[in-house]
Amino acid sequence: MSLPRPIRVIRNATLRDGRRVDVLIDGEVVADVLAAGTAPTAGSDAELDLDGFVLLTAGADPHSHLDKSRTWERISPPFGDLPTAVAEYTAYSAAESRESIADRARETALDLLAHGVTAVRSHVNILPGDDPLRGVDALLRVREELRGLMDIELCTLGDETATIEQHEEAIRRGVDLVGGAPHLATDPFFELERLLDLADRLGVGADMHTDEGLDGPLTIVELARRAATWEGRAATAGHCCRLGTLPKDELAPVIESVLAADLGIVTLPITNLYLQGWEVPVSTPRGLTAVRELLDAGARIGAGADNVRDPFNPLGRCDHLETVSLLVTAAHVSIDEAYSLVSDGARSVMHLPVAGAAAGARAEFVAVKGASLAEVAATADPNRHVIHRGALVSSTVATVTTAAWAAVTEGQVTA
Ligand SMILES: [Zn+2]
């Protein structure tokens, strides 16, 4: 049957806490969660039997770069750090067309969706060349094409040569948020100020690449100071690697300012692990932000996959379970905490409604074949069903064929 397919009853699913349940869905919202086997029938087209699957809140990616994705092999950049990646992508992007950007972005977005990510915030570069907003136009088009299948938010991104008029025109065309990477500018605080002044003038939120390095200025405190006065809009700080290098006594007041501003923090393990620490060959630092301290302080924090196969990260599977695995390994959070960071936490940073298996929550789900969260976090099993706004929007059914093996009793074993 073709998709999307509205679902009214999910049967026999296993939740993160081990409960076996049926889930009733009314439109885009979960109406009730019942013991497995007790939901009324809804007709086969509107039912989904998830026996043998773990039902999870869908993934959300609060920090991606759909426009840059899938360029690693086209560019063949040298392995290296953030400045290398920026230079390589900037040189390549001068000749990139709107069509090429749209095609790669669409492929990556659909790949994310098939893995169970139903909400994405993508930064989009203001580009060199005659038509600096061609990437913006490409992503606005992809967002429109995928409307109804997944939620896509867009945020401007440019270096200090991108003009305020270009950022403003991108917002006028439909981009949601003002962004940038002030820590890379000649004067980081001036760059942050000019971008936040624009956000203030337009009355929109902001999402800054923030302090993405192991040393350098702490612009996050100034971002928090400005955002603390905002009403009805939100600010986000991505990366924040510098926080992960601070001793406890210096970190504490920074976290206080993050909490006071309700600043959203996004940690991006795969890109930080790849780009950070090249200059430290022994006991190489991990480059992640202070994830444990931010979680324990109750900060609004999520995790994303950032770059997918571009000069900033040669790898990436468009799978939020890959980020879960990296968070457990590199940030020393529990599997449960890691899954929250790529789902509920990410949605919280994006200020999306609460989703998952609870009455009144949005019906945003990914069901992954397996018996428990711990199992599927390890296996990242390809067999999945993805529900967005109450409708089945993607299913992956993998086939494994392995040669037969022959049973042997102990007496038959010969040397
Ligand atoms: Zn980024």
Side-chain angles (χ1 to χ4, degrees):
M1 166 147 196
S2 66
L3 303 181
R5 172 155 70 95
I7 300 295
R8 287 170 53 205
V9 175
I10 292 171
R11 292 194 181 281
N12 303 314
T14 301
L15 299 183
R16 268 164 84 169
D17 61 11
R19 277 183 296 154
R20 295 251 307 157
V21 298
D22 294 347
V23 178
L24 305 187
I25 299 172
D26 182 8
E28 300 184 358
V29 174
V30 172
D32 210 349
V33 180
L34 308 170
T38 65
T41 54
S44 58
D45 287 353
E47 296 195 7
L48 184 63
D49 192 328
L50 291 179
D51 187 31
F53 283 76
V54 183
L55 184 66
L56 303 167
T57 303
D61 197 320
H63 184 127
S64 69
H65 293 266
L66 297 177
D67 56 337
K68 291 176 175 144
S69 66
R70 295 167 197 267
T71 55
W72 173 266
E73 288 178 273
R74 293 172 185 225
I75 299 175
S76 291
F79 277 77
D81 59 8
L82 179 58
T84 306
V86 169
E88 288 287 328
Y89 186 74
T90 302
Y92 168 79
S93 67
E96 265 292 84
S97 71
R98 194 176 311 193
E99 286 301 316
S100 169
I101 295 168
D103 288 347
R104 289 185 289 95
R106 187 187 307 107
E107 199 175 347
T108 297
L110 289 170
D111 204 352
L112 284 160
L113 183 66
H115 283 96
V117 177
T118 62
V120 179
R121 176 183 291 175
S122 178
H123 300 262
V124 53
N125 271 55
I126 294 166
L127 295 170
D130 293 341
D131 179 11
L133 297 188
R134 62 194 182 282
V136 165
D137 290 339
L139 262 58
L140 287 168
R141 185 173 122 198
V142 169
R143 175 166 75 180
E144 199 56 40
E145 290 171 342
L146 303 185
R147 196 175 288 285
L149 304 185
M150 64 196 303
D151 294 321
I152 298 179
E153 272 184 7
L154 299 175
C155 177
T156 63
L157 179 59
D159 62 18
E160 59 195 313
T161 67
T163 66
I164 282 302
E165 290 71 27
Q166 288 169 337
H167 284 274
E168 183 168 359
E169 175 61 16
I171 299 285
R172 196 194 64 74
R173 291 187 191 185
V175 170
D176 304 283
L177 305 164
V178 172
H183 60 97
L184 294 177
T186 318
D187 182 342
F189 290 95
F190 177 80
E191 175 69 355
L192 180 63
E193 189 180 333
R194 94 181 168 117
L195 294 168
L196 293 179
D197 286 350
L198 177 66
D200 282 347
R201 182 156 62 76
L202 300 180
V204 299
D207 185 339
M208 296 294 157
H209 285 65
T210 302
D211 307 333
E212 187 182 350
L214 302 176
D215 49 26
L218 271 172
T219 63
I220 191 171
V221 177
E222 178 60 12
L223 174 59
R225 189 189 70 76
R226 292 280 300 259
T229 65
W230 289 3
E231 279 180 26
R233 56 200 171 103
T236 306
H239 295 289
C240 311
C241 309
R242 188 76 173 81
L243 268 61
T245 70
L246 295 179
K248 271 193 172 0
D249 59 327
E250 289 177 42
L251 179 61
V254 177
I255 291 183
E256 281 304 312
S257 68
V258 167
L259 294 174
D262 194 16
L263 189 61
I265 305 290
V266 180
T267 183
L268 300 155
I270 196 166
T271 296
N272 294 156
L273 285 162
Y274 173 69
L275 287 178
Q276 302 298 319
W278 285 87
E279 66 284 10
V280 189
V282 176
S283 296
T284 305
R286 298 168 186 220
L288 274 62
T289 193
V291 177
R292 167 54 58 202
E293 290 80 358
L294 287 160
L295 269 179
D296 289 351
R300 189 186 290 272
I301 176 170
D306 205 357
N307 301 90
V308 176
R309 310 204 290 272
D310 65 21
F312 300 78
N313 168 34
L315 305 172
R317 298 197 306 263
C318 295
D319 185 352
H320 59 305
L321 291 179
E322 181 178 40
T323 302
V324 165
S325 177
L326 290 165
L327 285 167
V328 170
T329 306
H332 289 176
V333 297
S334 72
I335 294 170
D336 206 56
E337 287 171 323
Y339 197 81
S340 292
L341 284 167
V342 300
S343 55
D344 309 319
R347 291 183 67 88
S348 165
V349 166
M350 296 167 76
H351 291 265
L352 293 170
V354 170
R362 294 297 170 102
E364 303 284 331
F365 293 109
V366 58
V368 187
K369 189 177 181 184
S372 66
L373 174 62
E375 181 187 333
V376 303
T379 63
D381 195 280
N383 293 283
R384 301 187 192 192
H385 299 290
V386 184
I387 291 174
H388 172 58
R389 297 185 181 239
L392 184 65
V393 289
S394 183
S395 284
T396 302
V397 180
T399 304
V400 180
T401 307
T402 306
W405 55 280
V408 173
T409 57
E410 224 165 289
Q412 290 175 307
V413 176
T414 52

